[in-house]
């Protein structure tokens, strides 16, 4: 490989938006991933997920051809069918009977075209996106306070801040490269105070001076309390309030009514009063405060109020727009921000214009040459799927999202799509829980083939560049949408030949009637409206606005105290705290909280392909506080059923006091592709915030009880098997093997024939079986060796004891299996003298827990840095440092 094969692109996962230098080997379809040292989001650093991208570009499992009602088809037929069905539905039932449900994982160009088609030309507002489940409370909160959806600050502020508050954000796992930057800032400046506000003690607490484990949903009380405290302590910036804001006294009044003593706030938030006071005092005494927040704030029935309660405190102290200060919404998806720029939410129109102003509607209609533009907002995600369920929306096109996993009340979403007349899904992966329900499947390019732009949390626009030629018949999303639009009769408006044409149009719209002097709209990249193909191809990361006043982009907004409201002043919002909707009761006494794991991305369609990323947390689990575990008779590592009024799941019990009593936590990632009963969305409360329409994903009343299968076991197999007939199964891809965790409710008469027959395990001529059966105890163990390599191991028991999987799994990468290993196989334990690495802690360098423990003990290691020097663990992305510290 030489320099010519190095392509600069952007990571397709989180909103940090890290730059990647990809060393491409087109011939072998392989790519080596390195951090791009010149990219301002990461300066060369990557986390475990970004580093493992090379393992996800394989073509196995990709959707490579259009499929119509289950059969392969060509593009022309597929596009005609989609266009024809949409036209027929619109003719019969009107434009609001069709919808597009998009995603913050589409590129800006894709997103722009989808939105333009639905709102501009079909004439319905029914284009919404998974960002409704993600950022819509932030969008709504920003608009209420600033008159625009503006993230004022930037990553450089981390180093300049005196205090950083992480609110409802597990930054260590969800924005790892930003977290490493904050950690480094703290190491360089130990006076930097870090406060984590999260009901759970997460890995992000590793660098915290203070952790406030507040009651779920009580953030508005906490920040109202802070506003009142600041006024009591004379810690307000009255000059700023007077000059640049409106509505302060109403906001303070509301705070005074609801949250006027520390005791009251502490009791309602279930916090220690000294900790609360400490936080308030630190906030009062630090001039440079940043509030970083994410889904613990947004995903709530009072999400928008939470956002404004936080912003209120920044406005009251004038801490916004200047280095090291400000509220900072950490965006989730790689292009959550780009989606907002093009107007992907059903209440938005385009280029930060929305349906609330008729002059916006006229302006966009004029720019697009659209005489049929929608005039009112469309349905928001949860309501959209309700409307599909009710038969009001009859044709839907889903792009780049997996709603039957990620929506609340997700079983209802399945039923909705089952009832729907016409379901189109564009995805790059063939088998997902949502593609399973599609009438038409359209193959989209994957990350490594796509070409366009994304915008990260700090408003930085970066290029994603194609590393490989398109796989199979896959096409860019913008192309697919444009082709359908043209077939629907909108030839003129969708005549795009490449992504840069779309980008230029998008940039031009942002500047259209947006004269800098008039301060109409924050989003303005008009300088890029005439960008040449060459310059687009070489576009370097740039933070919007990029206009006449700021041709090189702008790091911070609001430094001049000017906002995009009618008066030019920021608005305080009076917050009346409300409890979450649907509280626990005697039937459903616990609260289910949901969220993310370090090494998986959402519904696992891509991260679960990388064996490396499946090691950290291989199975769906539920975190339970020790007292709750006792109360509900749950033992560690056994299975439990969790039920809400909407649905149920099964997960492995993990008992931990990082969880509050009364709360459970499950990861959001597992789907029907990887687990029989792991879809947590089935349980989740479908209540939405009244302003943002964002669902309450972090607060569902549930019950938990032990699940007692008749038998349980696991299979490790070099080849993929079909194991779907046991009640509980989980499939995990490993390094040259597949692991299946199983449990069932009926014992077969004979394991031997049952297992071999049902699993279709080969018995080649040169295959050697080892077997042990103890029908009395219900134990069955078997190993199959083919050509001196381990092919399959099976461990089943009607009791509780099963060996750990680590040593057995390590045998699959060995070219030959040794005699002493073969002898030990059915014990499941390594022969004497062979080390067992334990559960993998460091995914980057594959270092296991037992290896780290042994090194700590034998070499007397005292710090995570020493562990790093000795074993390399924790020295790449650093996301496992909290776990290494816990082992120390
Ligand atoms: N590894 C990984 N990283 C990701 C993703 C991924 O799938 N995997 N997804 C990306 C996306 S799209 C997003 S949106 C972000 C999300 O990033 P985060 O928001 O950081 O992730 P979550 O784990 O969903 O939730 C964060 C925390 O909110 C807490 N929380 C729950 N309820 C409350 C509450 O009422 N108040 C407060 N203060 N906290 C509460 C939870 O306990 C949880 O620890 O991550 C992005 N990064
Ligand atoms: N209970 C609960 N529910 C949640 C959350 C939570 O914390 N708790 N978080 C919510 C949040 S913040 C989010 S962002 C959502 C995420 O939820 P989803 O959006 O449903 O999850 P993904 O797995 O990211 O789905 C992306 C899909 O797009 C496909 N894809 C990837 N790239 C492309 C592309 O370029 N083009 C096309 N056409 N397809 C592509 C992938 O294969 C995958 O099937 O989940 C939400 N749901
Ligand atoms: S922090 Fe990790 S997942 Fe997020 S953009 Fe960077 S490398 Fe990708
Ligand atoms: Mo998200």
């Amino acid at each position: 490989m030489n320099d010519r094969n190095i392509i600069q692109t952007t990571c397709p996962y989180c909103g940090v938006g890290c730059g990647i230098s990809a060393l491409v080997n087109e011939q072998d379809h392989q790519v080596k991933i390195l951090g791009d040292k010149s990219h301002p989001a990461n300066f060369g650093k990557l986390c475990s997920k970004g580093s493992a991208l090379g393992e996800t570009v394989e073509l196995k499992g990709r959707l490579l051809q259009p499929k119509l009602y289950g059969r392969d088809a060509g593009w022309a037929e597929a596009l005609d069918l989609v266009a024809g069905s949409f036209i027929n539905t619109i003719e019969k039932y009107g434009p609001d009977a069709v919808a597009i449900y998009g995603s913050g994982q589409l590129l800006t160009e894709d997103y722009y075209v989808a939105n333009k088609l639905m709102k501009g030309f079909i004439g319905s507002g029914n284009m919404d996106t998974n960002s409704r489940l993600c950022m819509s409370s932030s969008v709504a909160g920003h608009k209420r306070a600033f008159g625009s959806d503006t993230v004022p600050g930037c990553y450089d502020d981390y180093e300049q801040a005196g205090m950083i508050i992480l609110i409802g954000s597990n930054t260590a796992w969800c924005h790892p490269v930003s977290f490493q930057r904050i950690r480094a800032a703290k190491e360089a400046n130990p006076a930097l105070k870090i406060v984590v506000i999260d009901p759970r003690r997460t890995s992000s607490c590793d660098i915290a001076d203070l952790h406030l484990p507040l009651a779920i949903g009580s953030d508005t009380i906490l920040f109202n309390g802070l506003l009142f405290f600041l006024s009591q302590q004379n810690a307000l910036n009255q000059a700023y309030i007077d000059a640049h804001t409106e509505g302060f006294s109403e906001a303070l009044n509301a705070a005074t009514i609801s949250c006027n003593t520390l005791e009251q706030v502490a009791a309602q938030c279930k916090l220690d009063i000294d900790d609360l006071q400490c936080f308030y005092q630190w906030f009062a005494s630090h001039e440079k405060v940043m509030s970083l927040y994410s889904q613990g704030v947004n995903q709530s029935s009072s999400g928008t109020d939470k956002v404004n309660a936080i912003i209120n405190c920044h406005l009251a102290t004038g801490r916004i727009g200047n280095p090291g200060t400000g509220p900072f919404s950490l965006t989730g998806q790689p292009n959550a921000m780009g989606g907002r720029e093009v107007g992907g939410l059903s209440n938005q129109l385009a280029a930060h214009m929305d349906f609330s102003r008729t002059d916006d509607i006229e302006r966009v209609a004029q720019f697009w040459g659209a005489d049929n533009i929608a005039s009112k907002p469309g349905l928001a995600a949860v309501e959209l799927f309700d409307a599909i369920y009710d038969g009001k929306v009859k044709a839907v096109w889903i792009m780049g999202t997996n709603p039957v996993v990620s929506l609340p009340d997700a079983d209802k979403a399945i039923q909705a799509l089952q009832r729907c007349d016409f379901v189109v899904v564009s995805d790059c992966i063939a088998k997902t829980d949502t593609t399973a329900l599609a009438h038409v499947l359209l193959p989209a390019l994957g990350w490594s083939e796509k070409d366009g732009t994304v915008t990260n949390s700090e408003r930085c626009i970066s290029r994603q560049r194609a590393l490989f030629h398109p796989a199979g018949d896959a096409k860019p999303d913008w192309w697919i949408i444009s082709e359908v639009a043209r077939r629907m009769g909108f030839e003129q408006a969708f005549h795009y030949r490449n992504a840069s044409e779309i980008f230029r149009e998008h940039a031009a719209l942002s500047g259209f009637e947006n004269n800098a002097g008039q301060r109409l709209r924050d989003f303005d990249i008009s300088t890029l409206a005439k960008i040449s193909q060459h310059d687009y191809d070489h576009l370097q990361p740039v933070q919007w606005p990029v206009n006449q006043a700021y041709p090189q982009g702008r790091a911070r907004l609001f430094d001049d105290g000017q906002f995009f409201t009618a008066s030019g002043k920021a608005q305080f919002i009076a917050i009346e705290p409300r409890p979450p909707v649907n509280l626990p009761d005697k039937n459903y006494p616990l609260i289910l909280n949901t969220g993310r794991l370090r090494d998986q991305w959402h519904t696992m369609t891509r991260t679960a392909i990388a064996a490396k990323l499946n090691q950290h947390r291989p199975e769906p689990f539920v975190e339970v506080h020790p007292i709750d575990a006792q109360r509900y008779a749950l033992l560690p590592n056994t299975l439990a059923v969790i039920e809400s009024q909407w649905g149920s799941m099964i997960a492995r019990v993990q008992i931990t006091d990082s969880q509050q009593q009364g709360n459970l936590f499950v990861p959001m990632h597992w789907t029907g592709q990887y687990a029989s009963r792991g879809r947590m969305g089935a349980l989740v409360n479908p209540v939405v915030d009244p302003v943002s329409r964002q669902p309450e994903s972090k607060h569902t009343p549930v019950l938990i009880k032990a699940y007692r299968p008749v038998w349980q076991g696991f299979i490790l197999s070099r080849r993929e098997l079909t194991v779907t007939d046991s009640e509980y199964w989980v499939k995990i891809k490993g390094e040259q093997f597949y692991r299946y965790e199983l449990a069932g409710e009926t014992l077969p008469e004979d394991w031997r024939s049952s297992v071999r027959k049902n699993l279709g395990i080969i018995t080649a001529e040169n295959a050697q079986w080892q077997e042990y059966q103890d029908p009395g105890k219900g134990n069955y163990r078997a190993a199959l060796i083919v050509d001196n390599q381990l092919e399959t191991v099976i461990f089943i028991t009607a009791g509780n004891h099963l060996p750990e999987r680590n040593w057995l799994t390590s045998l699959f990468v060995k070219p030959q299996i040794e005699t002493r290993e073969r002898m030990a196989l059915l014990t499941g334990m390594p022969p004497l003298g062979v080390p067992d690495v334990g559960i993998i802690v460091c995914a980057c360098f594959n270092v296991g827990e037992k290896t780290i423990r042994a090194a700590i003990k034998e070499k007397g290691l005292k710090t995570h840095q020493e562990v790093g020097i000795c074993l390399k663990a924790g020295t790449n992305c650093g996301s496992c440092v909290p776990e290494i510290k816990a082992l120390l």
Side-chain angles (χ1 to χ4, degrees):
M1 273 188 243
N2 58 37
D3 283 358
R4 278 182 310 161
N5 304 97
I6 296 182
I7 298 177
Q8 285 182 316
T9 184
T10 311
C11 176
Y13 299 125
C14 84
V16 176
C18 296
I20 283 176
S21 293
L23 271 70
V24 180
N25 177 340
E26 173 91 45
Q27 210 171 358
D28 299 337
H29 201 81
Q30 282 181 353
V31 52
K32 188 166 183 235
I33 301 288
L34 297 168
D36 177 352
K37 292 202 166 69
S38 68
H39 198 290
N42 59 319
F43 298 108
K45 297 222 165 21
L46 292 176
C47 78
S48 51
K49 293 180 298 300
S51 305
L53 271 165
E55 285 187 45
T56 67
V57 298
E58 66 176 38
L59 298 185
K60 186 174 172 238
R62 282 286 300 276
L63 179 64
L64 295 175
Q65 229 193 323
K67 282 189 194 296
L68 311 183
Y69 297 92
R71 71 173 165 85
D72 288 346
W75 272 109
E77 192 189 359
L79 296 165
D80 283 343
L81 177 68
V82 175
S85 297
F86 268 63
I87 290 171
N88 289 341
T89 309
I90 294 163
E91 272 173 4
K92 239 169 144 175
Y93 304 103
D96 290 334
V98 299
I100 294 178
Y101 185 57
S103 163
Q105 290 165 79
L106 297 171
L107 302 181
T108 300
E109 293 76 3
D110 304 326
Y111 228 144
Y112 177 86
V113 176
N115 187 60
K116 180 180 176 185
L117 170 62
M118 183 54 70
K119 292 175 188 159
F121 289 81
I122 290 178
S124 166
N126 284 347
M127 156 99 206
D128 207 48
T129 134
N130 65 358
S131 286
R132 183 67 64 185
L133 319 175
C134 181
M135 307 312 310
S136 58
S137 295
S138 281
V139 175
H142 288 158
K143 286 218 71 167
R144 289 204 301 196
F146 311 142
S148 59
D149 175 21
T150 315
V151 173
C154 60
Y155 299 154
D156 272 350
D157 289 328
Y158 298 158
E159 282 94 23
Q160 316 221 23
M163 173 169 173
I164 296 180
I165 316 168
L166 304 176
I167 313 157
S169 162
N170 186 5
T171 328
W173 282 8
C174 297
H175 298 92
V177 167
S178 280
F179 187 76
Q180 294 315 320
R181 189 159 169 184
I182 297 169
R183 181 197 289 281
K186 170 122 179 121
E187 279 166 4
N189 167 24
L192 169 63
K193 287 272 181 289
I194 312 259
V195 179
V196 172
I197 301 175
D198 191 309
R200 303 186 299 145
R201 195 176 66 245
T202 62
S203 283
S204 302
C205 296
D206 186 47
I207 58 167
D209 299 285
L210 179 66
H211 170 217
L212 297 180
L214 84 176
I216 295 184
S218 63
D219 307 66
T220 47
I221 300 169
L222 181 67
F223 282 89
N224 259 4
L226 175 58
L227 189 64
F228 178 76
F229 180 89
L230 294 170
S231 77
Q232 293 289 297
Q233 302 285 313
N234 294 323
L236 301 171
N237 183 339
Q238 199 60 50
Y240 189 90
I241 295 173
D242 294 342
H244 303 297
T245 72
E246 287 169 344
F248 174 71
S249 54
E250 291 84 347
L252 182 61
N253 276 345
T256 308
I257 294 165
S258 54
C259 313
N260 61 13
T261 66
L262 282 173
E263 286 76 13
Q264 200 189 357
V265 173
Q268 291 185 59
C269 298
K270 299 211 177 89
L271 289 172
D272 179 279
I273 192 162
D274 294 335
D275 287 350
L276 180 71
Q277 188 163 21
C278 171
F279 166 55
Y280 283 1
Q281 262 158 3
W282 282 354
F283 193 104
S285 61
H286 284 81
E287 202 36 56
K288 296 194 163 187
V289 181
M290 288 185 82
S291 296
L292 274 48
Y293 64 90
S294 192
Q295 297 316 342
V297 170
N298 292 332
Q299 289 174 338
S300 158
S301 56
S302 52
T304 312
D305 281 356
K306 287 186 183 185
V307 169
N308 287 110
I310 296 167
I311 294 175
N312 281 348
C313 296
H314 281 270
L315 293 175
T317 47
R319 292 173 189 157
I320 186 166
N322 294 314
T325 68
F328 195 159
S329 146
L330 293 177
T331 54
Q333 298 179 93
N335 202 24
M337 291 285 267
R340 287 145 72 167
E341 289 153 20
V342 303
L345 294 164
S346 61
N347 50 307
Q348 300 175 321
L349 191 46
H352 281 205
M353 288 175 273
D354 61 41
F355 291 107
S356 62
R357 296 174 52 150
T358 41
D359 52 343
D360 275 357
I361 302 176
E362 280 160 20
R363 182 176 299 119
V364 179
Q366 189 194 339
F367 181 86
W368 279 342
D371 47 22
N372 186 33
I373 196 164
S375 56
K376 59 177 198 318
L379 296 164
V382 176
E383 291 122 13
L384 170 62
F385 276 77
D386 283 346
I388 298 173
Y389 183 92
D390 294 335
K392 291 180 192 139
V393 168
K394 295 178 186 295
V396 62
W397 187 353
I398 297 164
M399 302 171 190
T401 175
N402 198 354
V404 305
V405 182
S406 54
L407 278 175
D409 194 4
D411 285 347
K412 188 176 176 190
I414 292 183
Q415 290 161 18
L417 294 186
Q418 282 168 339
R419 289 165 169 225
C420 187
D421 290 347
F422 192 63
V423 179
V424 185
V425 177
S426 301
D427 207 293
C428 45
I429 300 295
K431 284 192 181 156
T432 77
D433 290 5
T434 301
T435 59
L437 299 166
H439 301 117
V440 177
L441 283 178
L442 302 175
L445 297 183
W447 164 75
S448 59
E449 299 140 11
K450 296 198 75 150
D451 203 39
T453 55
V454 291
T455 308
N456 73 6
S457 293
E458 60 163 2
R459 289 175 280 103
C460 183
I461 300 171
S462 292
R463 286 279 274 114
Q464 264 190 25
R465 295 186 176 88
L467 312 180
F468 299 112
H469 292 301
D473 250 350
K475 296 282 185 193
D477 285 292
W478 64 260
W479 181 90
I480 305 173
I481 303 156
S482 303
E483 286 298 315
V484 169
R486 290 161 72 163
R487 283 168 165 78
M488 289 183 73
F490 312 127
E491 168 73 27
Q492 284 299 316
F494 293 87
H495 195 74
Y496 303 114
R497 286 162 305 178
N498 53 48
S500 73
E501 286 185 354
I502 304 168
F503 184 81
R504 281 192 287 275
E505 183 179 314
H506 164 60
L509 175 55
S510 76
F512 185 59
E513 297 182 359
N514 189 17
N515 193 305
Q518 295 169 270
R519 292 196 76 83
L520 289 172
R521 306 187 308 265
D522 62 337
F523 178 67
D524 180 358
I525 54 167
S526 46
T527 301
L528 302 173
K530 294 209 163 60
I531 191 170
S532 67
Q533 180 68 46
H534 175 273
D535 288 353
Y536 179 76
D537 285 339
H538 294 87
L539 182 70
Q540 292 306 305
V542 60
Q543 277 173 287
W544 66 255
V546 192
N547 53 15
Q548 228 174 5
Y550 300 93
Q552 304 303 322
R554 186 175 177 188
R556 295 178 191 84
L557 283 93
F558 307 149
D559 46 347
D560 52 1
Q562 291 294 309
F563 296 85
F564 291 90
T565 51
S567 60
K569 295 188 174 186
Q571 303 296 305
F572 279 94
I573 304 294
I575 303 296
E576 290 171 31
R578 310 183 295 275
V581 180
N582 295 316
L583 294 172
D585 58 20
K586 68 177 194 317
N587 295 327
Y588 300 106
L590 301 166
I591 299 168
L592 181 71
N593 176 9
T594 60
R596 289 158 172 80
L597 298 179
R598 192 188 80 190
D599 289 353
Q600 293 295 350
W601 177 260
H602 294 165
T603 71
M604 293 166 62
T605 62
R606 292 169 292 160
T607 38
I609 299 172
K612 219 182 232 166
L613 298 179
N614 296 327
Q615 306 180 80
H616 183 236
R617 295 282 191 276
E619 217 180 338
F621 62 87
V622 52
E623 286 183 352
V624 190
H625 186 272
I627 293 175
D628 290 327
Q630 207 171 21
R631 177 174 303 154
Y632 299 102
L634 305 170
L635 296 172
N637 292 319
T638 58
L639 294 171
V641 183
I642 312 154
E643 272 173 33
S644 75
Q645 73 178 87
W646 297 278
S648 78
M649 71 183 290
I650 299 181
R652 189 78 58 191
V653 172
Q654 289 192 352
I655 300 174
T656 163
D657 66 2
S658 63
Q659 197 57 248
Q660 279 180 43
Q661 205 184 322
N663 290 2
L664 304 176
F665 175 83
V666 294
M668 66 169 292
H669 306 291
W670 273 271
T671 71
Q673 308 302 311
Y674 291 101
S676 57
R677 299 282 301 278
R679 276 174 56 251
M680 59 84 224
L683 285 79
V684 173
N685 195 344
V687 158
V688 300
D689 177 278
V691 185
S692 68
R693 324 305 288 166
Q694 177 155 357
E696 177 120 89
S697 319
K698 304 258 186 270
H699 186 284
T700 303
V702 294
L703 62 81
I704 188 166
K705 58 191 180 200
Y707 176 68
R708 297 210 169 79
V710 172
W711 61 268
Q712 48 193 315
F714 66 89
I715 299 176
L716 306 172
S717 167
R718 194 170 290 280
R719 287 182 313 150
E720 209 171 339
L721 306 172
T722 316
V723 295
T724 43
D725 53 2
S726 57
E727 279 82 1
Y728 177 82
W729 59 262
V730 176
K731 171 176 154 185
I732 305 139
K733 186 179 174 195
E735 211 69 67
Q736 300 192 33
F737 68 91
Y738 290 87
R739 169 176 160 193
Y740 300 91
E741 292 293 329
L742 306 168
E745 291 168 17
T746 36
L747 269 179
E749 282 193 3
D750 174 28
W751 272 112
R752 181 184 191 161
S753 55
S754 156
V755 164
R756 291 193 196 177
K757 193 168 72 215
N758 289 345
L759 297 178
I761 292 176
I762 42 124
T763 23
E765 263 172 40
N766 48 355
Q768 294 166 311
W769 278 97
Q770 293 181 26
E771 229 172 3
Y772 159 85
Q773 205 160 182
D774 176 358
K777 293 200 176 126
N779 286 333
Y780 175 77
R781 295 179 174 195
L784 176 64
I785 292 171
V786 178
D787 288 338
N788 257 324
Q789 275 199 320
L790 187 56
E791 177 66 27
T792 314
V793 281
I794 306 171
F795 278 77
I796 308 269
T797 180
N800 288 319
H801 182 71
L802 289 165
E804 283 182 33
R805 322 315 187 232
N806 310 309
W807 174 66
L808 287 168
T809 57
S810 72
L811 298 176
F812 283 87
V813 289
K814 302 193 97 179
Q816 296 264 295
I817 181 160
E818 295 169 33
T819 314
R820 59 184 188 144
E821 290 167 337
R822 188 188 292 237
M823 311 250 299
L825 274 178
L826 293 194
T827 67
M829 308 237 273
L832 232 61
V834 175
D836 173 4
V837 299
I839 290 163
I840 297 298
V841 172
C842 171
C844 300
F845 295 113
N846 241 342
V847 189
E849 182 190 323
K850 290 188 183 166
T851 311
I852 299 173
R853 277 187 198 280
I856 292 171
K857 209 164 150 195
E858 283 156 23
K859 306 215 167 91
L861 308 179
K862 299 234 151 42
T863 61
H864 73 89
Q865 288 90 345
E866 286 174 11
V867 172
I869 292 166
C870 181
L871 301 169
K872 284 177 101 178
T875 56
N876 181 39
C877 77
S879 350
C880 62
V881 167
E883 280 165 85
I884 296 173
K885 286 169 89 178
L887 294 174
L888 284 160

